[in-house]
Amino acid sequence: MRVKKKNHWSKWTTTEFHGRAKRAGRAGPGLIWTGDATAVETVLTSPNNRLPTDVTADLINPGTTTALFPKMARQPASLGNGVVRIFGRAAWGASPAYLRTTPRYAPRVRAVVVHHTATTNNYDADDVPRILRSIYYYMSVTERYGDIGYNALIDKYGRIWEGRAGGLDRPTIGMHAGGFNTGTAGVALIGDYDHTPVSAAAREALARFAAYKLGTSGTDPRATQTLDVGPSTRYRQRTAVRVPAIVPHQATSTTACPGERLDVLPAVRARADALVDQYHLGGA
């Protein structure tokens, strides 16, 4: 696809195929952030020369303001003895009109599953609330998940944003890794990291978020956890699986997410472990 801005067309880009959404009964790619585009052009190809019919593009307008929310609500909250500062849902303008599910909770968080949104890395800091509102609408309404699936999202500037409703200070069950949602926290890096390195600011934020969620649950960020999980696209039936406490989405599901550049996770685990000790975050 490509988009038109100020009478100029962008370069062509491709997007991941997300497979069939069981609730919607349709298949297709994920969300692509276009910014202030005035037109979009798509080209559909097939390896077997058979193309689907009734092809549509869902166009999402995330709006331009969060003026309806109090100014104080747009400030980040300090959590975990100060190890993280996280912007709440009001900071990016999460409309209650699209919230169609009730939060559920696990006994505790035993692992953090790392994703990327596979949208774009070409965004400014001021674009992030609009990107979040787009992801929220896409996951809640288009994919019919009832809410944003990730518990938190991290932009390339190192800011952490609350995703799924229910409270980041609680073990809220997300909808980010089928079969692995209970007892995990899902965090998504905003961008496409198939071929782009993760920024230093985003790596630090990821380590701090993981230290907070794991440390306050008494889980060692460098440990391996045994989770009773499934079924998922990788495991056809419920089974016990050993995974790192900070685990890429690829280890839980048959997916290209979170991108090839997530080789930073060993360093993230070491940094999170140091932060657990530094901020006295429990018995990990």
Side-chain angles (χ1 to χ4, degrees), residues 139-167:
M139 298 188 82
S140 183
V141 179
T142 304
E143 291 199 325
R144 303 185 186 179
Y145 289 163
D147 193 2
I148 196 166
Y150 313 114
N151 297 100
L153 299 96
I154 297 173
D155 64 35
K156 65 182 181 182
Y157 303 99
R159 298 175 299 180
I160 307 174
W161 304 82
E162 180 181 12
R164 196 169 187 84

PDB file of all heavy atoms in Angstrom, residues 139-167:
ATOM      1  N   MET A 139      -8.691  -2.910  17.404  1.00  0.00           N
ATOM      2  CA  MET A 139      -8.749  -4.164  18.165  1.00  0.00           C
ATOM      3  C   MET A 139     -10.104  -4.353  18.825  1.00  0.00           C
ATOM      4  O   MET A 139     -10.635  -5.466  18.869  1.00  0.00           O
ATOM      5  CB  MET A 139      -7.627  -4.202  19.212  1.00  0.00           C
ATOM      6  CG  MET A 139      -6.228  -4.154  18.622  1.00  0.00           C
ATOM      7  SD  MET A 139      -4.907  -4.437  19.834  1.00  0.00           S
ATOM      8  CE  MET A 139      -4.916  -6.234  19.914  1.00  0.00           C
ATOM      9  N   SER A 140     -10.694  -3.265  19.334  1.00  0.00           N
ATOM     10  CA  SER A 140     -11.947  -3.381  20.061  1.00  0.00           C
ATOM     11  C   SER A 140     -13.135  -3.574  19.148  1.00  0.00           C
ATOM     12  O   SER A 140     -13.994  -4.430  19.392  1.00  0.00           O
ATOM     13  CB  SER A 140     -12.165  -2.142  20.933  1.00  0.00           C
ATOM     14  OG  SER A 140     -13.350  -2.269  21.691  1.00  0.00           O
ATOM     15  N   VAL A 141     -13.199  -2.784  18.057  1.00  0.00           N
ATOM     16  CA  VAL A 141     -14.380  -2.771  17.191  1.00  0.00           C
ATOM     17  C   VAL A 141     -14.171  -3.611  15.931  1.00  0.00           C
ATOM     18  O   VAL A 141     -14.961  -4.506  15.639  1.00  0.00           O
ATOM     19  CB  VAL A 141     -14.765  -1.326  16.827  1.00  0.00           C
ATOM     20  CG1 VAL A 141     -15.988  -1.317  15.914  1.00  0.00           C
ATOM     21  CG2 VAL A 141     -15.034  -0.512  18.089  1.00  0.00           C
ATOM     22  N   THR A 142     -13.095  -3.324  15.182  1.00  0.00           N
ATOM     23  CA  THR A 142     -12.879  -4.045  13.927  1.00  0.00           C
ATOM     24  C   THR A 142     -12.625  -5.525  14.174  1.00  0.00           C
ATOM     25  O   THR A 142     -13.228  -6.388  13.524  1.00  0.00           O
ATOM     26  CB  THR A 142     -11.702  -3.425  13.156  1.00  0.00           C
ATOM     27  OG1 THR A 142     -11.954  -2.038  12.944  1.00  0.00           O
ATOM     28  CG2 THR A 142     -11.525  -4.114  11.808  1.00  0.00           C
ATOM     29  N   GLU A 143     -11.705  -5.837  15.110  1.00  0.00           N
ATOM     30  CA  GLU A 143     -11.409  -7.241  15.407  1.00  0.00           C
ATOM     31  C   GLU A 143     -12.330  -7.829  16.471  1.00  0.00           C
ATOM     32  O   GLU A 143     -12.241  -9.011  16.769  1.00  0.00           O
ATOM     33  CB  GLU A 143      -9.948  -7.382  15.842  1.00  0.00           C
ATOM     34  CG  GLU A 143      -8.963  -7.136  14.701  1.00  0.00           C
ATOM     35  CD  GLU A 143      -7.595  -7.708  14.990  1.00  0.00           C
ATOM     36  OE1 GLU A 143      -7.172  -7.688  16.168  1.00  0.00           O
ATOM     37  OE2 GLU A 143      -6.949  -8.179  14.043  1.00  0.00           O
ATOM     38  N   ARG A 144     -13.163  -6.982  17.062  1.00  0.00           N
ATOM     39  CA  ARG A 144     -14.182  -7.406  18.027  1.00  0.00           C
ATOM     40  C   ARG A 144     -13.606  -8.060  19.286  1.00  0.00           C
ATOM     41  O   ARG A 144     -14.151  -9.015  19.826  1.00  0.00           O
ATOM     42  CB  ARG A 144     -15.191  -8.357  17.354  1.00  0.00           C
ATOM     43  CG  ARG A 144     -15.869  -7.735  16.134  1.00  0.00           C
ATOM     44  CD  ARG A 144     -16.938  -8.641  15.562  1.00  0.00           C
ATOM     45  NE  ARG A 144     -17.483  -8.093  14.315  1.00  0.00           N
ATOM     46  CZ  ARG A 144     -18.422  -8.686  13.593  1.00  0.00           C
ATOM     47  NH1 ARG A 144     -18.933  -9.836  13.993  1.00  0.00           N
ATOM     48  NH2 ARG A 144     -18.847  -8.127  12.484  1.00  0.00           N
ATOM     49  N   TYR A 145     -12.483  -7.498  19.754  1.00  0.00           N
ATOM     50  CA  TYR A 145     -11.911  -7.963  21.015  1.00  0.00           C
ATOM     51  C   TYR A 145     -12.524  -7.262  22.227  1.00  0.00           C
ATOM     52  O   TYR A 145     -12.275  -7.660  23.359  1.00  0.00           O
ATOM     53  CB  TYR A 145     -10.400  -7.743  21.028  1.00  0.00           C
ATOM     54  CG  TYR A 145      -9.629  -8.652  20.100  1.00  0.00           C
ATOM     55  CD1 TYR A 145      -8.327  -8.338  19.743  1.00  0.00           C
ATOM     56  CD2 TYR A 145     -10.180  -9.820  19.582  1.00  0.00           C
ATOM     57  CE1 TYR A 145      -7.593  -9.159  18.887  1.00  0.00           C
ATOM     58  CE2 TYR A 145      -9.465 -10.644  18.737  1.00  0.00           C
ATOM     59  CZ  TYR A 145      -8.174 -10.313  18.393  1.00  0.00           C
ATOM     60  OH  TYR A 145      -7.446 -11.112  17.554  1.00  0.00           O
ATOM     61  N   GLY A 146     -13.241  -6.180  22.013  1.00  0.00           N
ATOM     62  CA  GLY A 146     -13.890  -5.481  23.111  1.00  0.00           C
ATOM     63  C   GLY A 146     -13.029  -4.457  23.808  1.00  0.00           C
ATOM     64  O   GLY A 146     -13.519  -3.662  24.607  1.00  0.00           O
ATOM     65  N   ASP A 147     -11.727  -4.459  23.531  1.00  0.00           N
ATOM     66  CA  ASP A 147     -10.803  -3.501  24.128  1.00  0.00           C
ATOM     67  C   ASP A 147      -9.472  -3.661  23.403  1.00  0.00           C
ATOM     68  O   ASP A 147      -9.287  -4.585  22.601  1.00  0.00           O
ATOM     69  CB  ASP A 147     -10.627  -3.762  25.631  1.00  0.00           C
ATOM     70  CG  ASP A 147      -9.936  -2.620  26.371  1.00  0.00           C
ATOM     71  OD1 ASP A 147      -9.610  -1.599  25.729  1.00  0.00           O
ATOM     72  OD2 ASP A 147      -9.705  -2.755  27.586  1.00  0.00           O
ATOM     73  N   ILE A 148      -8.543  -2.784  23.687  1.00  0.00           N
ATOM     74  CA  ILE A 148      -7.193  -2.962  23.184  1.00  0.00           C
ATOM     75  C   ILE A 148      -6.609  -4.210  23.841  1.00  0.00           C
ATOM     76  O   ILE A 148      -6.874  -4.493  25.013  1.00  0.00           O
ATOM     77  CB  ILE A 148      -6.348  -1.704  23.463  1.00  0.00           C
ATOM     78  CG1 ILE A 148      -5.075  -1.686  22.621  1.00  0.00           C
ATOM     79  CG2 ILE A 148      -6.044  -1.547  24.934  1.00  0.00           C
ATOM     80  CD1 ILE A 148      -4.385  -0.337  22.613  1.00  0.00           C
ATOM     81  N   GLY A 149      -5.855  -4.998  23.110  1.00  0.00           N
ATOM     82  CA  GLY A 149      -5.409  -6.290  23.625  1.00  0.00           C
ATOM     83  C   GLY A 149      -4.212  -6.216  24.543  1.00  0.00           C
ATOM     84  O   GLY A 149      -4.085  -7.000  25.485  1.00  0.00           O
ATOM     85  N   TYR A 150      -3.287  -5.274  24.279  1.00  0.00           N
ATOM     86  CA  TYR A 150      -2.052  -5.181  25.051  1.00  0.00           C
ATOM     87  C   TYR A 150      -2.303  -4.484  26.387  1.00  0.00           C
ATOM     88  O   TYR A 150      -3.052  -3.514  26.461  1.00  0.00           O
ATOM     89  CB  TYR A 150      -1.002  -4.378  24.278  1.00  0.00           C
ATOM     90  CG  TYR A 150      -0.840  -4.765  22.834  1.00  0.00           C
ATOM     91  CD1 TYR A 150      -1.196  -3.872  21.823  1.00  0.00           C
ATOM     92  CD2 TYR A 150      -0.343  -6.013  22.468  1.00  0.00           C
ATOM     93  CE1 TYR A 150      -1.044  -4.206  20.484  1.00  0.00           C
ATOM     94  CE2 TYR A 150      -0.196  -6.359  21.139  1.00  0.00           C
ATOM     95  CZ  TYR A 150      -0.550  -5.457  20.150  1.00  0.00           C
ATOM     96  OH  TYR A 150      -0.410  -5.792  18.821  1.00  0.00           O
ATOM     97  N   ASN A 151      -1.625  -4.920  27.418  1.00  0.00           N
ATOM     98  CA  ASN A 151      -1.724  -4.243  28.706  1.00  0.00           C
ATOM     99  C   ASN A 151      -1.031  -2.884  28.677  1.00  0.00           C
ATOM    100  O   ASN A 151      -1.460  -1.943  29.345  1.00  0.00           O
ATOM    101  CB  ASN A 151      -1.124  -5.103  29.813  1.00  0.00           C
ATOM    102  CG  ASN A 151      -1.868  -6.408  29.994  1.00  0.00           C
ATOM    103  OD1 ASN A 151      -1.422  -7.447  29.498  1.00  0.00           O
ATOM    104  ND2 ASN A 151      -3.007  -6.369  30.672  1.00  0.00           N
ATOM    105  N   ALA A 152       0.040  -2.783  27.909  1.00  0.00           N
ATOM    106  CA  ALA A 152       0.768  -1.519  27.803  1.00  0.00           C
ATOM    107  C   ALA A 152       1.414  -1.428  26.434  1.00  0.00           C
ATOM    108  O   ALA A 152       1.627  -2.447  25.760  1.00  0.00           O
ATOM    109  CB  ALA A 152       1.833  -1.412  28.894  1.00  0.00           C
ATOM    110  N   LEU A 153       1.724  -0.197  26.019  1.00  0.00           N
ATOM    111  CA  LEU A 153       2.415   0.048  24.761  1.00  0.00           C
ATOM    112  C   LEU A 153       3.541   1.050  25.002  1.00  0.00           C
ATOM    113  O   LEU A 153       3.426   1.929  25.870  1.00  0.00           O
ATOM    114  CB  LEU A 153       1.465   0.580  23.685  1.00  0.00           C
ATOM    115  CG  LEU A 153       0.306  -0.358  23.318  1.00  0.00           C
ATOM    116  CD1 LEU A 153      -0.953   0.018  24.111  1.00  0.00           C
ATOM    117  CD2 LEU A 153       0.007  -0.316  21.819  1.00  0.00           C
ATOM    118  N   ILE A 154       4.621   0.907  24.247  1.00  0.00           N
ATOM    119  CA  ILE A 154       5.804   1.753  24.419  1.00  0.00           C
ATOM    120  C   ILE A 154       6.135   2.397  23.078  1.00  0.00           C
ATOM    121  O   ILE A 154       6.274   1.698  22.061  1.00  0.00           O
ATOM    122  CB  ILE A 154       6.999   0.934  24.918  1.00  0.00           C
ATOM    123  CG1 ILE A 154       6.708   0.356  26.308  1.00  0.00           C
ATOM    124  CG2 ILE A 154       8.268   1.783  24.947  1.00  0.00           C
ATOM    125  CD1 ILE A 154       7.755  -0.614  26.813  1.00  0.00           C
ATOM    126  N   ASP A 155       6.261   3.725  23.052  1.00  0.00           N
ATOM    127  CA  ASP A 155       6.621   4.386  21.804  1.00  0.00           C
ATOM    128  C   ASP A 155       8.142   4.480  21.672  1.00  0.00           C
ATOM    129  O   ASP A 155       8.889   4.151  22.605  1.00  0.00           O
ATOM    130  CB  ASP A 155       5.934   5.745  21.672  1.00  0.00           C
ATOM    131  CG  ASP A 155       6.352   6.765  22.729  1.00  0.00           C
ATOM    132  OD1 ASP A 155       7.538   6.766  23.133  1.00  0.00           O
ATOM    133  OD2 ASP A 155       5.496   7.563  23.161  1.00  0.00           O
ATOM    134  N   LYS A 156       8.617   4.899  20.507  1.00  0.00           N
ATOM    135  CA  LYS A 156      10.052   4.919  20.246  1.00  0.00           C
ATOM    136  C   LYS A 156      10.779   5.983  21.065  1.00  0.00           C
ATOM    137  O   LYS A 156      12.016   5.975  21.132  1.00  0.00           O
ATOM    138  CB  LYS A 156      10.312   5.141  18.757  1.00  0.00           C
ATOM    139  CG  LYS A 156       9.873   6.492  18.218  1.00  0.00           C
ATOM    140  CD  LYS A 156      10.125   6.592  16.721  1.00  0.00           C
ATOM    141  CE  LYS A 156       9.710   7.954  16.154  1.00  0.00           C
ATOM    142  NZ  LYS A 156       9.925   8.025  14.686  1.00  0.00           N
ATOM    143  N   TYR A 157      10.012   6.871  21.705  1.00  0.00           N
ATOM    144  CA  TYR A 157      10.599   7.897  22.561  1.00  0.00           C
ATOM    145  C   TYR A 157      10.764   7.423  24.006  1.00  0.00           C
ATOM    146  O   TYR A 157      11.236   8.173  24.848  1.00  0.00           O
ATOM    147  CB  TYR A 157       9.741   9.159  22.521  1.00  0.00           C
ATOM    148  CG  TYR A 157       9.558   9.683  21.111  1.00  0.00           C
ATOM    149  CD1 TYR A 157       8.391   9.402  20.397  1.00  0.00           C
ATOM    150  CD2 TYR A 157      10.552  10.417  20.482  1.00  0.00           C
ATOM    151  CE1 TYR A 157       8.219   9.873  19.095  1.00  0.00           C
ATOM    152  CE2 TYR A 157      10.392  10.880  19.182  1.00  0.00           C
ATOM    153  CZ  TYR A 157       9.221  10.596  18.492  1.00  0.00           C
ATOM    154  OH  TYR A 157       9.070  11.042  17.201  1.00  0.00           O
ATOM    155  N   GLY A 158      10.340   6.184  24.281  1.00  0.00           N
ATOM    156  CA  GLY A 158      10.502   5.611  25.612  1.00  0.00           C
ATOM    157  C   GLY A 158       9.359   5.885  26.561  1.00  0.00           C
ATOM    158  O   GLY A 158       9.484   5.639  27.766  1.00  0.00           O
ATOM    159  N   ARG A 159       8.242   6.378  26.055  1.00  0.00           N
ATOM    160  CA  ARG A 159       7.085   6.620  26.916  1.00  0.00           C
ATOM    161  C   ARG A 159       6.216   5.359  26.970  1.00  0.00           C
ATOM    162  O   ARG A 159       6.006   4.696  25.949  1.00  0.00           O
ATOM    163  CB  ARG A 159       6.270   7.804  26.404  1.00  0.00           C
ATOM    164  CG  ARG A 159       7.040   9.124  26.407  1.00  0.00           C
ATOM    165  CD  ARG A 159       6.228  10.237  25.783  1.00  0.00           C
ATOM    166  NE  ARG A 159       5.897   9.961  24.397  1.00  0.00           N
ATOM    167  CZ  ARG A 159       5.198  10.783  23.617  1.00  0.00           C
ATOM    168  NH1 ARG A 159       4.756  11.929  24.100  1.00  0.00           N
ATOM    169  NH2 ARG A 159       4.938  10.456  22.361  1.00  0.00           N
ATOM    170  N   ILE A 160       5.706   5.068  28.149  1.00  0.00           N
ATOM    171  CA  ILE A 160       4.869   3.890  28.365  1.00  0.00           C
ATOM    172  C   ILE A 160       3.426   4.341  28.518  1.00  0.00           C
ATOM    173  O   ILE A 160       3.131   5.286  29.256  1.00  0.00           O
ATOM    174  CB  ILE A 160       5.309   3.108  29.616  1.00  0.00           C
ATOM    175  CG1 ILE A 160       6.806   2.779  29.550  1.00  0.00           C
ATOM    176  CG2 ILE A 160       4.497   1.818  29.757  1.00  0.00           C
ATOM    177  CD1 ILE A 160       7.343   2.126  30.812  1.00  0.00           C
ATOM    178  N   TRP A 161       2.514   3.640  27.824  1.00  0.00           N
ATOM    179  CA  TRP A 161       1.100   4.002  27.808  1.00  0.00           C
ATOM    180  C   TRP A 161       0.256   2.819  28.244  1.00  0.00           C
ATOM    181  O   TRP A 161       0.490   1.684  27.815  1.00  0.00           O
ATOM    182  CB  TRP A 161       0.687   4.414  26.391  1.00  0.00           C
ATOM    183  CG  TRP A 161       1.502   5.525  25.815  1.00  0.00           C
ATOM    184  CD1 TRP A 161       2.730   5.412  25.210  1.00  0.00           C
ATOM    185  CD2 TRP A 161       1.177   6.916  25.787  1.00  0.00           C
ATOM    186  NE1 TRP A 161       3.178   6.645  24.812  1.00  0.00           N
ATOM    187  CE2 TRP A 161       2.245   7.588  25.145  1.00  0.00           C
ATOM    188  CE3 TRP A 161       0.075   7.658  26.232  1.00  0.00           C
ATOM    189  CZ2 TRP A 161       2.246   8.961  24.944  1.00  0.00           C
ATOM    190  CZ3 TRP A 161       0.076   9.025  26.024  1.00  0.00           C
ATOM    191  CH2 TRP A 161       1.144   9.675  25.398  1.00  0.00           C
ATOM    192  N   GLU A 162      -0.714   3.092  29.109  1.00  0.00           N
ATOM    193  CA  GLU A 162      -1.641   2.042  29.525  1.00  0.00           C
ATOM    194  C   GLU A 162      -2.513   1.627  28.349  1.00  0.00           C
ATOM    195  O   GLU A 162      -3.076   2.461  27.640  1.00  0.00           O
ATOM    196  CB  GLU A 162      -2.527   2.538  30.665  1.00  0.00           C
ATOM    197  CG  GLU A 162      -3.515   1.488  31.156  1.00  0.00           C
ATOM    198  CD  GLU A 162      -4.403   2.005  32.271  1.00  0.00           C
ATOM    199  OE1 GLU A 162      -4.419   3.234  32.520  1.00  0.00           O
ATOM    200  OE2 GLU A 162      -5.091   1.175  32.905  1.00  0.00           O
ATOM    201  N   GLY A 163      -2.637   0.315  28.143  1.00  0.00           N
ATOM    202  CA  GLY A 163      -3.474  -0.201  27.071  1.00  0.00           C
ATOM    203  C   GLY A 163      -4.809  -0.685  27.594  1.00  0.00           C
ATOM    204  O   GLY A 163      -5.745   0.087  27.776  1.00  0.00           O
ATOM    205  N   ARG A 164      -4.888  -1.971  27.863  1.00  0.00           N
ATOM    206  CA  ARG A 164      -6.150  -2.584  28.262  1.00  0.00           C
ATOM    207  C   ARG A 164      -6.650  -2.035  29.592  1.00  0.00           C
ATOM    208  O   ARG A 164      -5.865  -1.786  30.512  1.00  0.00           O
ATOM    209  CB  ARG A 164      -5.991  -4.104  28.357  1.00  0.00           C
ATOM    210  CG  ARG A 164      -7.320  -4.854  28.387  1.00  0.00           C
ATOM    211  CD  ARG A 164      -7.068  -6.343  28.212  1.00  0.00           C
ATOM    212  NE  ARG A 164      -8.303  -7.110  28.076  1.00  0.00           N
ATOM    213  CZ  ARG A 164      -8.952  -7.273  26.940  1.00  0.00           C
ATOM    214  NH1 ARG A 164      -8.481  -6.719  25.835  1.00  0.00           N
ATOM    215  NH2 ARG A 164     -10.057  -7.987  26.886  1.00  0.00           N
ATOM    216  N   ALA A 165      -7.958  -1.847  29.698  1.00  0.00           N
ATOM    217  CA  ALA A 165      -8.560  -1.353  30.938  1.00  0.00           C
ATOM    218  C   ALA A 165      -8.454  -2.418  32.023  1.00  0.00           C
ATOM    219  O   ALA A 165      -8.400  -3.615  31.753  1.00  0.00           O
ATOM    220  CB  ALA A 165     -10.026  -1.000  30.702  1.00  0.00           C
ATOM    221  N   GLY A 166      -8.439  -1.959  33.259  1.00  0.00           N
ATOM    222  CA  GLY A 166      -8.395  -2.887  34.379  1.00  0.00           C
ATOM    223  C   GLY A 166      -7.356  -2.539  35.412  1.00  0.00           C
ATOM    224  O   GLY A 166      -7.402  -3.035  36.542  1.00  0.00           O
ATOM    225  N   GLY A 167      -6.401  -1.679  35.038  1.00  0.00           N
ATOM    226  CA  GLY A 167      -5.397  -1.237  35.990  1.00  0.00           C
ATOM    227  C   GLY A 167      -4.061  -1.932  35.798  1.00  0.00           C
ATOM    228  O   GLY A 167      -3.990  -3.169  35.899  1.00  0.00           O
TER     229      GLY A 167
END
